Amino acid sequence: MKTSPKQATATLTEITLLNERSECLHLEKRTKTTFDYPLHKHKELEINYVENGAGLKRIVGDSVEPVVDLDLTIVGGGLEHQWAEPQEFNGKEMHEITIHFSRSLLGEELLANQYFKGINMLFQRAQRGICFSQAVIARIKPKLWQMANMEPGFARFILLLEVLHELSETNDYHLLASEEFSQAAIPSDNQRIRLVLEYINKHFREEIRLQDLADLVCMTPTSFSRFFNLRTHMSVSDYIIECRLGYATRQLIDSVQTVLEICYDSGFNNVSNFNRIFKKRKGYTPTEFRKQYNRSKIVGDRYGDLLK
């Protein structure tokens, strides 16, 4: 029987300065020598650009990655994120542009229109966080600075649409948080693969047989394996592992269960194997990851007025 995870402390919920009744978007331009804002989330989408940020650590959901000189990320509403400094970080002058805006900025009817299909898919991917390549950043950077240096108004809004359109057209990016951690919707227009993914997402904590998945879509196991790989660009076993790891990282962050309890509760049947796979995929052991995340969740008294 699965146990109910024991709860840990909550992540800071930020109330941004975006006022939907008077602003389409809110932009902040900062020059800073330290990144000390704690791990947080908010309901708005966020575009965050950092210049001269090499040495920082970017945390988005269950993804922890080092930042190079230029960093451009879109984070969906409700997804935890932070740009943090390692203890040995030497202060230097960094530049940051942060843009907050709501999905309702365009409205569901407009997002359903074929002209905005790409931006709608971009917003869906942002549920897991998106990090763009240096080549994409080089193209987008001038428009971000143009937005930052102009007065709020219609021209800035139009420029944001241009930025979103260009970002929606590129494949030069990688997703950050795992699907299970971010609880993102399954972005597929194929009914058979959606059926399989929904089944795996519901039963990944149990033993899942390849034959059972193939039977769901009336295919042989061999044909199904090829079909699944073609549609998801990963094997069935790798996808199940990703689901289990996403759930495990969520429990490491949001509960006080032991690593052993989380291992078995997530569907792994061997703690040594769990530790090995976790470190290979995340770069940390489960214990190290929990310590790293807990340090990022510390909220000082000066942030207390932002808590809900």
Side-chain angles (χ1 to χ4, degrees):
M1 180 179 295
K2 302 300 182 184
T3 58
S4 297
K6 291 170 271 189
Q7 295 301 305
T9 56
T11 302
L12 173 70
T13 298
E14 179 187 10
I15 301 174
T16 70
L17 297 177
L18 178 67
N19 184 334
E20 295 181 0
R21 290 171 299 180
S22 60
E23 284 189 312
C24 291
L25 62 103
H26 182 78
L27 185 148
E28 292 281 348
K29 177 180 66 173
R30 309 178 187 92
T31 297
K32 55 206 301 186
T33 58
T34 183
F35 276 75
D36 58 359
Y37 200 77
L39 187 74
H40 63 286
K41 60 184 178 181
H42 41 71
K43 65 180 182 179
E44 295 84 8
L45 287 99
E46 175 178 312
I47 296 176
N48 202 67
Y49 167 75
V50 179
E51 191 173 299
N52 197 28
L56 294 173
K57 194 176 297 180
R58 181 193 343 96
I59 301 173
V60 177
D62 56 345
S63 166
V64 181
E65 295 182 345
V67 171
V68 294
D69 184 50
L70 300 179
D71 189 67
L72 178 61
T73 305
I74 298 183
V75 180
L79 185 59
E80 299 95 329
H81 56 283
Q82 180 192 20
W83 279 254
E85 302 171 5
Q87 291 182 348
E88 68 279 5
F89 188 78
N90 294 320
K92 57 182 178 178
E93 190 172 273
M94 295 169 285
H95 304 287
E96 181 184 38
I97 298 173
T98 303
I99 305 170
H100 290 135
F101 60 97
S102 171
R103 179 184 170 88
S104 62
L105 172 71
L106 297 177
E108 294 304 322
E109 185 174 348
L110 197 59
L111 287 172
N113 187 281
Q114 61 175 338
Y115 294 155
F116 288 86
K117 182 179 179 180
I119 293 178
N120 191 22
M121 291 298 296
L122 180 73
F123 288 174
Q124 290 184 35
R125 292 194 295 269
Q127 291 180 266
R128 293 176 57 184
I130 312 169
C131 179
F132 295 93
S133 73
Q134 297 297 293
V136 173
I137 296 174
R139 296 199 304 270
I140 296 296
K141 175 181 173 180
K143 290 184 178 179
L144 293 175
W145 279 112
Q146 186 180 350
M147 289 180 66
N149 292 322
M150 66 170 49
E151 292 295 321
F154 186 73
R156 181 185 272 182
F157 166 68
I158 294 299
L159 202 50
L160 173 64
L161 290 183
E162 292 181 14
V163 168
L164 292 174
H165 173 69
E166 189 161 348
L167 292 178
S168 74
E169 292 287 296
T170 183
N171 293 317
D172 204 357
Y173 65 85
H174 67 276
L175 300 179
L176 298 172
S178 64
E179 188 173 280
E180 176 61 31
F181 182 94
S182 61
Q183 300 177 331
I186 299 170
S188 176
D189 57 359
N190 184 282
Q191 186 174 357
R192 288 189 297 176
I193 198 65
R194 284 186 64 86
L195 180 65
V196 171
L197 295 181
E198 287 169 359
Y199 180 89
I200 294 175
N201 289 357
K202 184 177 180 180
H203 297 282
F204 66 85
R205 298 163 70 190
E206 308 161 15
E207 181 182 359
I208 298 178
R209 297 171 59 247
L210 181 63
Q211 182 68 61
D212 293 337
L213 297 177
D215 288 345
L216 277 176
V217 289
C218 302
M219 300 174 76
T220 66
T222 301
S223 296
F224 171 74
S225 293
R226 287 197 298 265
F227 165 74
F228 189 91
N229 191 281
L230 181 65
R231 285 289 178 174
T232 66
H233 306 292
M234 65 174 67
S235 68
V236 175
S237 59
D238 280 346
Y239 184 83
I240 294 172
I241 286 174
E242 285 298 311
C243 288
R244 289 173 176 170
L245 286 177
Y247 180 82
T249 51
R250 173 62 73 181
Q251 301 316 310
L252 287 167
I253 293 166
D254 289 344
S255 81
V256 292
Q257 286 183 299
T258 66
V259 170
L260 183 64
E261 289 174 325
I262 291 172
C263 165
Y264 291 107
D265 192 39
S266 303
F268 293 94
N269 55 17
N270 182 291
V271 70
S272 297
N273 191 44
F274 172 58
N275 284 330
R276 179 182 60 79
I277 293 175
F278 195 99
K279 184 167 185 177
K280 181 179 179 180
R281 302 289 180 98
K282 305 295 182 183
Y284 299 89
T285 67
T287 300
E288 291 169 344
F289 183 88
R290 172 174 267 172
K291 289 180 179 177
Q292 171 69 44
Y293 229 97
N294 284 343
R295 280 199 299 268
S296 299
K297 289 175 77 171
I298 295 173
V299 180
D301 292 339
R302 63 198 178 99
Y303 299 112
D305 61 334
L306 295 176
L307 288 171
K308 284 186 174 180

